[in-house]
Amino acid sequence: MAKKRPAAKNAKSQRTPQLNNGEIPVVGAREPCPCGSGRRYKACHGAAAAHAVTEHVRRPFEGLPGECDWVALRELVPAATIPLTLKDGLPEGVPSVTLVTVLPMAWPALRREDGSVLLGLQNDSTTGDLARDMADTLERALVAEPGTPVPARRVPAEGPRLQDLLDTDSVFEPVVHSGFEFWIPDAENAQNASPEIAASLERANAAAIPTVKLAGVDAAYWCETPDKNHLRWVMPHPEEKLLDALARLHAAGTSSLGEGTKLVGSFRAHGLMVPVWDLPTGVSADDVEKPAAELAERLAAALATDAPLTTEERRARAGLTNRQVTLS
């Protein structure tokens, strides 16, 4: 005969001593719930965490300096670094905190031997709020043993966000790199890196698309691919208004960046739009600096226009809408 379940009152008495100030630790979805109920975590106290995952934060980087660049580095740029300023200053023993696009073996963060912290941006979110997940990683990295990576974990649905930990008045200036040598403190002695990191570095460098950040406009990134080059430009404007403005320019024949270039569509990423231009292979980042600045002026004027779209502009808008791809 199957064993009888303990009475409800006994189950309650078994749960209570395992609680820590009334808080239930986060564990794997299929593991027994720490409350002692005998049920799996996902069917017990994990139900609230599962619900939190569905509540996706559309603009996780909103309120941070350089929101558009955060989006670009998360989705479009292979290799870049940016020093971060913490709201409460650096803890003792932590000389610096640096945001990086990605780390070896996709580590969420790394505490180097000298105590400095590298925080990876291109990682998965477990709560639906990338800013909360990265804040959890950052807090763990600040107290990790020097010389150790910070592993991924299921992040509690409640907790601080990056906006709570970072100085939101600080300057956010990405530095784009041609490769991932910034993983290694002494890049000239890269041969001394562990075999795992050396192999990861080789693979990452081989796959990296050459990318350059334009100097004259915000959050615009030129990149080179075998068939053609592109300009990907993350913009902060509301999507509907930006689509109207781009449609006005497109219908007027003024949406390009010069001869042989073409506005071909856009990405959606973390609540922002990223228009994309195709460029001929010979067109470099320097070549599009001036055309991009001129386009920014035309776009500003189009954004300030409230007149209804014409038939031709509506047709152009429909074409742009059909060529949108959602990244996140």
Side-chain angles (χ1 to χ4, degrees):
M1 294 178 62
K3 293 183 179 180
K4 293 184 178 180
R5 292 179 179 271
K9 63 179 183 180
N10 290 337
K12 183 177 180 180
S13 65
Q14 291 173 359
R15 297 199 289 268
T16 305
Q18 300 185 48
L19 303 184
N20 181 15
N21 296 326
E23 296 182 0
I24 305 296
V26 176
V27 298
R30 299 177 65 84
E31 295 179 33
C33 187
C35 76
S37 66
R39 303 170 69 191
R40 288 180 177 175
Y41 178 68
K42 69 177 182 178
C44 193
H45 283 87
H51 176 65
V53 172
T54 66
E55 296 179 349
H56 179 71
V57 175
R58 185 168 173 268
R59 289 178 61 179
F61 307 119
E62 186 175 16
L64 291 172
E67 179 188 6
C68 293
D69 283 310
W70 279 88
V71 172
L73 270 56
R74 163 74 181 182
E75 300 294 342
L76 308 173
V77 180
T81 59
I82 313 95
L84 296 179
T85 303
L86 304 189
K87 186 174 294 185
D88 297 328
L90 292 170
E92 185 177 356
V94 181
S96 64
V97 175
T98 303
L99 180 72
V100 304
T101 46
V102 69
L103 284 166
M105 279 72 79
W107 292 329
L110 170 66
R111 182 88 185 272
R112 282 178 160 166
E113 292 286 356
D114 66 355
S116 61
V117 168
L118 300 183
L119 178 66
L121 179 55
Q122 296 177 12
N123 287 294
D124 292 334
S125 171
T126 64
T127 68
D129 182 357
L130 187 58
R132 176 167 286 118
D133 294 341
M134 291 186 65
D136 176 82
T137 299
L138 176 56
E139 287 189 319
R140 290 188 289 133
L142 293 173
V143 297
E145 288 293 323
T148 61
V150 177
R153 75 168 186 175
R154 183 185 293 273
V155 178
E158 299 295 332
R161 307 177 72 235
L162 285 174
Q163 290 82 345
D164 302 316
L165 302 182
L166 301 182
D167 180 1
T168 55
D169 293 325
S170 62
V171 176
F172 191 82
E173 290 290 348
V175 176
V176 178
H177 302 271
S178 59
F180 295 85
E181 282 72 21
F182 59 83
W183 286 351
I184 304 169
D186 186 2
E188 294 182 357
N189 295 319
Q191 68 274 11
N192 295 330
S194 69
E196 294 83 2
I197 291 180
S200 186
L201 177 64
E202 183 177 356
R203 289 193 302 269
N205 281 343
I209 295 174
T211 301
V212 176
K213 186 180 190 298
L214 297 195
V217 294
D218 291 335
Y221 291 81
W222 170 95
C223 67
E224 180 183 19
T225 62
D227 296 329
K228 62 185 69 175
N229 299 342
H230 305 280
L231 185 72
R232 301 163 175 174
W233 193 342
V234 187
M235 297 185 173
H237 317 292
E239 181 175 323
E240 296 302 314
K241 194 168 185 63
L242 180 55
L243 279 170
D244 283 352
L246 290 172
R248 294 181 197 278
L249 298 183
H250 205 59
T254 59
S255 65
S256 75
L257 294 167
E259 184 178 356
T261 71
K262 182 180 180 181
L263 173 64
V264 292
S266 62
F267 299 125
R268 289 190 190 95
H270 304 288
L272 299 181
M273 259 187 67
V274 188
V276 178
W277 285 262
D278 276 355
L279 313 173
T281 300
V283 174
S284 68
D286 288 340
D287 293 333
V288 294
E289 284 281 5
K290 183 178 179 181
E294 293 171 346
L295 177 62
E297 293 180 0
R298 297 195 299 272
L299 182 61
L303 286 164
T305 302
D306 292 325
L309 297 180
T310 65
T311 300
E312 187 63 27
E313 289 168 346
R314 288 197 301 273
R315 187 177 297 114
R317 192 186 194 281
L320 291 172
T321 302
N322 290 337
R323 295 194 295 275
Q324 281 187 307
V325 175
T326 301
L327 298 181
S328 59

